[in-house]
Amino acid sequence: MAKLILSLDGLVLKEYALTKERITIGRKPHNDVQIDNLAVSGDHAVIVTILNDSFLEDLGSTNGTLVNGQSVKKHFLQNNDVIEMGKYKLKYLSEQGGQATVDFEKTMVLRPGAIQAAAPAAHSQARSFADTAVNHAPAAVPPGEPPVPRRPEAAPAQRIGMLQILTGGNAGKELELTKPLTTMGKPGVQVAVITRRPQGYFITHVEGDQFPILNGKTLDAQAHALNDHDIVELAGVKMEFFFRA
């Protein structure tokens, strides 16, 4: 579980566990992390945690928010990052060490095991004629015998999404999107996440002045559904999203 260590001039004041999806930081008493100092805005920033990943967003504060000495609006937090608000510091510590961001120009070269060639199509589990008969047309039951219960229909398996890199030194490489959340891009430059939900796959902007581009159109801050053969451009790299056959 990730946590924040609040300190002032090197003196640790308090520790906060990130047990909620949304942790607010500010001067007002209703904040989860209250810092009673005029340099801190009433509602200064928020940290959103999804699974093992945490994202910091400045809420339009007067004096701004720094991470490791750099001014940020949105930032994908990594282990040992130091958030500064006035003279106060919040050190972000993650027991997971932070989920590795998929950096399409570097990480894929360093971690080739994370990238694989397109997997062969999974063999579909075709039902036998007998199964179909039980499900849809039960055989006649002799008088006095209890009816044969219908076998419940199996829930359809969710299709697996894939990303294929189209440009750059890793063109042709493919990434299987099997995790609930995949972080992509370059920390400090541009970061986005792809979430796998029961309704399908969605891409959301997290960090950087430039937003992801989907099929030639710049996205906004909202989550956007990905469809088969969509073209995504992130941190200068073009990728194609598709469903594994």
Side-chain angles (χ1 to χ4, degrees):
M1 179 185 300
K3 60 184 178 181
L4 298 172
I5 307 295
L6 177 65
S7 65
L8 175 64
D9 296 329
L11 178 64
V12 174
L13 303 178
K14 198 168 183 180
E15 180 177 312
Y16 300 89
L18 301 184
T19 56
K20 300 195 303 181
E21 180 178 319
R22 185 180 176 88
I23 298 290
T24 58
I25 307 169
R27 192 178 68 253
K28 294 180 180 179
H30 65 256
N31 286 284
D32 299 297
V33 179
Q34 184 192 11
I35 303 176
D36 190 9
N37 185 277
L38 291 177
V40 179
S41 295
D43 297 295
H44 196 106
V46 63
I47 294 177
V48 176
T49 300
I50 305 174
L51 300 178
N52 295 326
D53 287 340
S54 296
F55 308 95
L56 169 72
E57 180 178 359
D58 183 90
L59 297 177
S61 63
T62 301
N63 295 312
T65 302
L66 303 180
V67 176
N68 303 327
Q70 301 294 320
S71 178
V72 301
K73 293 297 182 183
K74 289 186 177 183
H75 179 76
F76 168 59
L77 289 170
Q78 301 181 78
N79 193 39
N80 291 318
D81 273 353
V82 177
I83 306 166
E84 298 178 56
M85 299 176 181
K87 294 183 178 180
Y88 288 81
K89 294 183 179 181
L90 284 162
K91 188 169 186 178
Y92 174 79
L93 297 175
S94 173
E95 294 178 359
Q96 302 291 333
Q99 178 177 324
T101 303
V102 179
D103 184 330
F104 287 107
E105 293 300 323
K106 297 178 181 178
T107 306
M108 291 180 64
V109 176
L110 298 176
R111 298 180 56 203
I115 311 300
Q116 58 184 32
H123 295 291
S124 61
Q125 297 180 349
R127 290 179 299 175
S128 65
F129 177 81
D131 289 338
T132 305
V134 171
N135 285 331
H136 300 288
V141 179
E145 293 291 333
V148 178
R150 294 183 62 178
R151 184 175 301 176
E153 293 279 357
Q158 185 179 4
R159 293 187 295 173
I160 300 298
M162 304 282 293
L163 279 177
Q164 182 180 46
I165 300 176
L166 303 178
T167 61
N170 291 294
K173 300 285 187 178
E174 294 184 351
L175 172 66
E176 190 177 57
L177 303 173
T178 56
K179 296 181 179 180
L181 183 147
T182 300
T183 307
M184 308 181 305
K186 300 178 182 179
V189 178
Q190 189 178 21
V191 176
V193 295
I194 291 181
T195 53
R196 184 187 182 195
R197 308 176 186 176
Q199 304 92 333
Y201 288 84
F202 293 79
I203 185 170
T204 307
H205 173 75
V206 172
E207 178 186 349
D209 295 333
Q210 301 297 320
F211 284 68
I213 298 173
L214 181 63
N215 299 325
K217 181 179 179 181
T218 302
L219 301 181
D220 54 23
Q222 304 301 315
H224 289 265
L226 289 172
N227 297 309
D228 203 15
H229 301 300
D230 275 351
I231 302 298
V232 178
E233 186 172 349
L234 180 69
V237 177
K238 286 187 177 181
M239 299 155 277
E240 179 182 3
F241 172 84
F242 63 96
F243 288 103
R244 190 174 67 188

